[in-house]
Amino acid sequence: MLKKRFIDLSHTIEDGLVTYKGLPAPLICDFLSREESRKHYEEGTEFQIGKIEMVSNTGTYVDVPFHRYRTGKDLTEVTIDKLAGLEGVLIHIDNGIKEIGEQFFSGLDVQGKAVLVHTGWDKHWNTDQYFENHPFLTEGAAKYLVQKKAALVGIDSVNIDDTSVNSRPVHSTLLAEEIVIAEHLCNLEALKNKSFQFYAVPPKVKGFGTFPVRAFAELK
């Protein structure tokens, strides 16, 4: 029996991490420390119960329609088949290309697939450079991916949209058609020339449109 191979595509969430400039970093601590827990159990038995306070846009996460649209599906309403076991397509973007238009996807079969855009921008993770002049998809690319019926679109950048302006046409276009977005991916270079399935499943939180995931690929 062949051993399955998995590639972790998620950043680590840790106390003080800034994922998106202007949003608060997570606060991670003990709710019940191991030392304190010893008072409640027999000798030699201890536990830790952790506590985390964070905004939903922390680490590697997915956006579902409710993130953009009041009446859109939230995390509890998006079905698992939209988030797990998706056949993946990797789009490699050369260094220095900032605007990623529809021409980069032309001719590819993306119907029902997870389309992952590899820019290499994750090398700037947890630095000031990560937030400035990052690569992004154009509105034309988003419309093309809607037309070709992609299931999910992910990127290893700070945002799938251009954050130098206030409009968010890629979010608006994809989420209106219930195409899930994954942002802040990493390690996509490990998927070059590989066949894979993509997974990015958040917990079922009512009234949320974004949440961190342990995104990963299973190589075929």
Side-chain angles (χ1 to χ4, degrees), residues 18 59 68 126 144 146 156 209:
V18 176
R68 172 65 179 81
N126 211 14
Y144 182 84
V146 166
D156 56 358

Side-chain angles (χ1 to χ4, degrees), residues 8-211:
D8 193 341
L9 306 176
S10 303
H11 289 290
T12 298
I13 296 174
E14 54 190 334
D15 185 66
L17 170 73
V18 176
T19 299
Y20 196 93
K21 190 175 288 187
L23 296 180
L27 301 175
I28 302 174
C29 60
D30 289 338
F31 175 78
L32 179 68
S33 69
R34 297 186 185 279
E35 292 73 20
E36 183 66 22
S37 77
R38 293 171 192 161
K39 301 175 183 178
H40 305 285
Y41 303 101
E42 66 180 26
E43 186 175 353
T45 301
E46 64 181 28
F47 297 94
Q48 185 262 5
I49 298 177
K51 178 181 178 181
I52 182 168
E53 178 181 321
M54 68 179 185
V55 296
S56 57
N57 295 56
T58 298
T60 301
Y61 53 75
V62 293
D63 294 333
V64 299
F66 185 77
H67 177 54
R68 172 65 179 81
Y69 297 104
R70 183 185 297 271
T71 59
K73 291 181 179 179
D74 70 11
L75 295 173
T76 69
E77 298 168 313
V78 174
T79 55
I80 291 176
D81 63 304
K82 295 291 188 74
L83 303 159
L86 295 167
E87 185 175 349
V89 176
L90 185 73
I91 311 299
H92 174 71
I93 305 298
D94 290 337
N95 290 334
I97 295 176
K98 186 176 177 182
E99 296 188 16
I100 304 167
E102 57 265 40
Q103 69 271 22
F104 291 97
F105 306 93
S106 180
L108 297 175
D109 177 14
V110 301
Q111 183 171 349
K113 298 179 181 179
V115 181
L116 306 186
V117 182
H118 171 229
T119 70
W121 200 253
D122 57 314
K123 67 184 178 183
H124 300 300
W125 175 254
N126 211 14
T127 71
D128 288 340
Q129 177 62 49
Y130 188 68
F131 308 108
E132 306 296 335
N133 299 311
H134 64 88
F136 59 87
L137 268 62
T138 64
E139 183 176 9
K143 289 180 176 179
Y144 182 84
L145 291 168
V146 166
Q147 178 188 352
K148 296 301 181 179
K149 303 185 185 305
L152 179 150
V153 184
I155 194 168
D156 56 358
S157 177
V158 66
N159 202 299
I160 204 166
D161 266 300
D162 180 5
T163 57
S164 68
V165 295
N166 291 329
S167 61
R168 296 291 185 269
V170 179
H171 278 83
S172 299
T173 300
L174 296 179
L175 295 179
E177 298 299 324
E178 299 187 358
I179 297 174
V180 175
I181 296 170
E183 293 176 313
H184 309 283
L185 295 168
C186 62
N187 301 329
L188 292 181
E189 66 275 6
L191 300 179
K192 285 184 180 179
N193 303 315
K194 302 286 197 312
S195 296
F196 64 94
Q197 290 184 315
F198 181 71
Y199 298 77
V201 183
K204 293 174 69 175
V205 183
K206 191 66 181 173
F208 266 43
T210 300
F211 210 83

